[in-house]
Amino acid sequence: MIQQSIGFDVYGTLVDPVDMGQHLEQLTGTKAKAFGQLWHDKKVEYAFRRALMQQYEDFSVCTLQALRYCMATFNIELTEDEQRHLVSEFANLKAFDDVIPGLINLQEKKHLL
């Protein structure tokens, strides 16, 4: 019997990576939405570039470096603690509303996720 496996890209598929608004608003004010979008775009870009160059770095490294890029772009200073806090919040993003029921449905159909 062939077992089917399904893989997902977590960011943007299962969770909303731009849903950092509440955390960003506290630190960047009215720039939060634009900052969050650029941050997301840059961390994905950094991860893909590294993959193409075969110079893998953990996604948390790409996330921190993209955050620092955004800080420079928007001329915003954040302490090391604020930076670490923001990066750690990516591990706590909420799933989209349809994700949990969808995953349960796939598991009930015996798919390996």
Side-chain angles (χ1 to χ4, degrees), residues 8-87:
F8 298 94
D9 173 28
V10 173
Y11 298 106
T13 304
L14 303 179
V15 300
D16 185 358
V18 184
D19 189 32
M20 290 289 293
Q22 64 183 3
H23 306 292
L24 291 173
E25 281 179 13
Q26 296 170 3
L27 300 170
T28 65
T30 60
K31 299 175 183 178
K33 185 173 182 176
F35 190 103
Q37 186 62 57
L38 181 61
W39 188 16
H40 170 69
D41 294 346
K42 279 295 172 186
K43 63 185 161 78
V44 171
E45 176 187 337
Y46 288 173
F48 278 118
R49 284 180 185 245
R50 286 203 171 92
L52 289 171
M53 295 184 293
Q54 298 181 347
Q55 295 180 0
Y56 172 81
E57 287 285 350
D58 186 83
F59 198 64
S60 64
V61 172
C62 299
T63 300
L64 180 58
Q65 290 175 339
L67 174 61
R68 291 179 177 159
Y69 173 88
C70 292
M71 289 167 52
T73 300
F74 285 89
N75 197 28
I76 293 174
E77 291 187 31
L78 300 174
T79 67
E80 291 290 324
D81 285 342
E82 289 169 331
Q83 292 174 49
R84 276 193 294 277
H85 174 72
L86 284 174
V87 170

